Amino acid sequence: MRTKQRFLPSIAAAAMLLALGGCAGMSRQNKDTAIGAGVGAVGGAVLSGGSGIGTVGGAAVGGVIGNQVGK
């Protein structure tokens, strides 16, 4: 269990970087939303100790913030 909590943020960051590689055709606002969701997911995972609810909550909050920044 401890190993899972240690590697979850790294795995989430790697997944985010791979997903952003497919963002070439996206608008600036969509890119900002995706980046915000990714950063929020990593932050939520770190702050909640790897909790799934914390990760999803962080992604949701980050996505909303990224969407508003992209306007």
Side-chain angles (χ1 to χ4, degrees):
M1 183 72 168
R2 187 85 173 134
T3 304
K4 181 181 175 184
Q5 290 177 345
R6 217 170 83 198
F7 288 110
L8 184 64
S10 298
I11 292 169
M16 180 183 75
L17 290 174
L18 288 172
L20 289 177
C23 293
M26 295 175 89
S27 71
R28 176 73 181 172
Q29 185 175 10
N30 287 344
K31 286 181 188 178
D32 288 344
T33 302
I35 291 169
V39 170
V42 172
V46 169
L47 292 175
S48 68
S51 162
I53 293 173
T55 303
V56 171
V61 171
V64 169
I65 292 171
N67 183 279
Q68 295 303 308
V69 168
K71 284 188 175 181

